[in-house]
Amino acid sequence: MALRHDVRAIAKRKNLYREGDSWSEFYNLYSGWAFTFRMTADGHRQIFDILIPGDAINLSSLRLDRAPFTAQALTDVIICVFDRHMLDEHFHNEVARIHRLENYWLSALSSVKGNLMDLGRRSSTERIARFLLGIEARLRERGLAADGPFDFPLGHTHIADALGLTPVHVNRVISTFRKDGLIDLRDHSLHIKQPSELRSLSI
Amino acid sequence: MALRHDVRAIAKRKNLYREGDSWSEFYNLYSGWAFTFRMTADGHRQIFDILIPGDAINLSSLRLDRAPFTAQALTDVIICVFDRHMLDEHFHNEVARIHRLENYWLSALSSVKGNLMDLGRRSSTERIARFLLGIEARLRERGLAADGPFDFPLGHTHIADALGLTPVHVNRVISTFRKDGLIDLRDHSLHIKQPSELRSLSI
DNA sequence: CGCGACATTGAAGAACGTCAATCGTCGTGG
DNA sequence: CCACGACGATTGACGTTCTTCAATGTCGCG
């Protein structure tokens, strides 16, 4: 692309942007190394990307108004700065269609990154709680679940394999959930009886 | 989309497609549940997606000729089957540009899914070996590394946070790598002295 | 009835985390 | 130029989480 852009230098250990920042620029890493990450509530950092020269730093900026994670320079860094609206104009034709597709990819990507966060930095209890709540939320969005029990065809082994655990351990955790009256998971039906308590377990 | 399509029924526990299968169809899940997964060499399954009605089953088919993972029905399932070339024709305008973007998103997504596989189903030794080799490969692609030492500005803490480990444990693993003569990681420089041995550790 | 798939439970062990102390390096201010 | 302080690497001792192995129970289905 022969697009007009500025260059900018950022010092080692400085943030390029922070999670939640609003941004209107797209960055490409020209020299140096950087990485992206998010923090869990209990202070663990999960890194998502190690960025090396040539990498797009914030692809998400093409579609999002706020940064979904923080980017920090590992070394002194030089970045190329593009105005994201200028990029839009450059892709002037069929913009709407491209945007729809990009949104699709973006949501898929951030969902997987969420899973990565779970596997890297959350306990088995947290992972399972979040998993169950996540499934319920997606079903609700589509009108496939309301308050009360809903269809849940996953076995312990499936949950284990989605979360990097063993079926045996999934069983133990779910047993405690059941004993504490948080959920009712039987046959192939799940009832989240105390959503707020379960949510508080999921951090 | 008012696109012509067939419908197809698949029985519970059957595979919709297998990793490595060549495909020319795009599927959308009409009813029932399914999931996608891959197996590690030592027989662990890692699930990537839990699919519910309305979900795209194999977005990757829009750009890939072979399935990057397996999809299996959790319940009896009905899917809508689209010819992927027909979809291409439908997106006839600006196809080339859209494809370029899609390829970008796709590679980002599969890289994150690879990380997910590592975190869910590989030991710390395997994760770290794969991480180092992966970085080296990306640098090579861009001519930023050849045989011999190369620049490596990541600290133990960064590696830990990328892999869901603690810096202390990363240190111990890397110490054994060093003692075994596999790598030389000092200052901010990495030399993979025995790539094949390291690769064999990474499964 | 018998079989296969999965849930459940117990006991034992391995992998990895936590806490804490020491050491070396580097940048910074005096 | 030197002293100081911050930061990361390293190592040890110990604890916890999760896995592994194994046995038993339960349910649906041919």
Side-chain angles (χ1 to χ4, degrees):
Chain A
M1 294 192 285
L3 272 175
R4 204 178 42 221
H5 62 270
D6 291 334
V7 297
R8 194 175 297 166
I10 289 100
K12 179 172 169 172
R13 211 180 297 270
K14 294 290 180 191
N15 289 331
L16 307 190
Y17 53 84
R18 283 182 191 75
E19 182 180 346
D21 281 357
S22 71
W23 55 16
S24 60
E25 294 165 335
F26 169 76
Y27 305 123
N28 210 72
L29 187 53
Y30 181 75
S31 68
W33 286 41
F35 66 101
T36 66
F37 67 95
R38 277 179 54 200
M39 306 297 294
T40 56
D42 59 338
H44 281 295
R45 183 176 62 174
Q46 177 68 44
I47 292 182
F48 292 124
D49 302 289
I50 305 296
L51 301 166
I52 62 177
D55 276 334
I57 296 174
N58 58 343
L59 252 196
S60 314
S61 72
L62 299 180
R63 309 277 68 237
L64 296 181
D65 291 324
R66 295 186 173 276
F69 35 69
T70 303
Q72 181 171 131
L74 272 166
T75 64
D76 288 343
V77 139
I78 296 175
I79 60 179
C80 302
V81 182
F82 299 87
D83 184 278
R84 81 177 215 203
H85 300 301
M86 194 175 75
L87 285 183
D88 272 354
E89 284 169 32
H90 189 252
F91 288 126
H92 166 264
N93 291 327
E94 305 295 329
V95 168
R97 176 169 301 161
I98 290 177
H99 282 184
R100 214 173 333 121
L101 288 170
E102 279 184 322
N103 279 328
Y104 212 115
W105 286 107
L106 182 63
S107 67
L109 195 56
S110 33
S111 146
V112 181
K113 285 193 177 185
N115 295 346
L116 197 63
M117 192 89 170
D118 288 350
L119 268 64
R121 289 304 187 205
R122 288 189 232 265
S123 72
S124 61
T125 303
E126 292 162 0
R127 283 186 235 180
I128 294 174
R130 296 172 64 86
F131 184 77
L132 299 179
L133 289 166
I135 295 267
E136 192 222 13
R138 288 170 60 205
L139 290 169
R140 269 179 192 276
E141 279 174 13
R142 302 181 189 186
L144 297 171
D147 298 331
F150 55 89
D151 221 36
F152 189 85
L154 300 173
H156 291 184
T157 305
H158 295 110
I159 300 175
D161 286 343
L163 299 181
L165 299 168
T166 56
V168 174
H169 195 66
V170 169
N171 184 322
R172 296 193 217 274
V173 173
I174 285 188
S175 294
T176 72
F177 284 174
R178 201 192 331 261
K179 268 172 212 143
D180 296 345
L182 300 179
I183 67 171
D184 190 14
L185 175 53
R186 275 181 300 106
D187 304 321
H188 279 162
S189 165
L190 171 60
H191 183 189
I192 300 186
K193 296 197 290 184
Q194 306 196 15
S196 55
E197 285 75 3
L198 193 59
R199 224 178 310 277
S200 74
L201 277 186
S202 77
I203 301 196
Chain B
M1 293 190 285
L3 273 174
R4 203 178 43 224
H5 61 270
D6 291 334
V7 297
R8 194 175 298 166
I10 290 101
K12 179 173 168 172
R13 211 178 297 271
K14 294 289 182 192
N15 289 333
L16 306 190
Y17 53 83
R18 282 181 192 75
E19 182 181 346
D21 280 358
S22 71
W23 56 15
S24 59
E25 294 166 335
F26 169 76
Y27 305 123
N28 210 72
L29 187 52
Y30 181 74
S31 68
W33 286 40
F35 65 101
T36 65
F37 67 94
R38 278 178 54 199
M39 307 297 294
T40 56
D42 58 340
H44 281 295
R45 183 175 63 174
Q46 177 67 45
I47 293 182
F48 292 123
D49 303 289
I50 304 297
L51 301 166
I52 61 178
D55 276 334
I57 296 174
N58 58 344
L59 253 196
S60 314
S61 72
L62 298 180
R63 308 277 67 238
L64 295 180
D65 292 324
R66 295 186 172 277
F69 35 69
T70 304
Q72 182 170 132
L74 273 166
T75 65
D76 288 344
V77 139
I78 296 175
I79 60 179
C80 302
V81 182
F82 299 87
D83 185 278
R84 81 178 215 203
H85 300 302
M86 196 174 73
L87 285 184
D88 272 354
E89 284 169 29
H90 189 251
F91 289 126
H92 166 263
N93 290 328
E94 304 295 329
V95 169
R97 178 168 301 161
I98 291 177
H99 283 183
R100 214 173 333 121
L101 289 171
E102 279 183 321
N103 278 330
Y104 212 117
W105 286 107
L106 182 63
S107 68
L109 195 57
S110 33
S111 147
V112 180
K113 285 194 176 184
N115 295 345
L116 197 63
M117 191 89 171
D118 288 349
L119 268 64
R121 288 305 186 205
R122 288 188 232 265
S123 72
S124 60
T125 302
E126 291 161 1
R127 283 185 235 180
I128 294 174
R130 296 171 64 85
F131 184 78
L132 299 180
L133 288 166
I135 296 267
E136 192 222 11
R138 290 170 59 204
L139 290 169
R140 268 180 193 276
E141 279 174 12
R142 302 182 189 187
L144 298 171
D147 298 332
F150 55 88
D151 222 37
F152 189 86
L154 298 174
H156 291 185
T157 306
H158 295 109
I159 299 175
D161 285 343
L163 300 180
L165 299 167
T166 57
V168 174
H169 195 68
V170 169
N171 184 325
R172 296 194 217 274
V173 173
I174 286 190
S175 294
T176 71
F177 284 174
R178 201 190 333 260
K179 267 172 212 143
D180 296 344
L182 299 180
I183 67 172
D184 190 13
L185 175 52
R186 277 180 299 104
D187 303 320
H188 278 160
S189 165
L190 171 61
H191 183 189
I192 300 186
K193 296 197 290 185
Q194 306 196 16
S196 55
E197 284 75 3
L198 193 59
R199 225 178 308 279
S200 74
L201 277 186
S202 77
I203 298 196

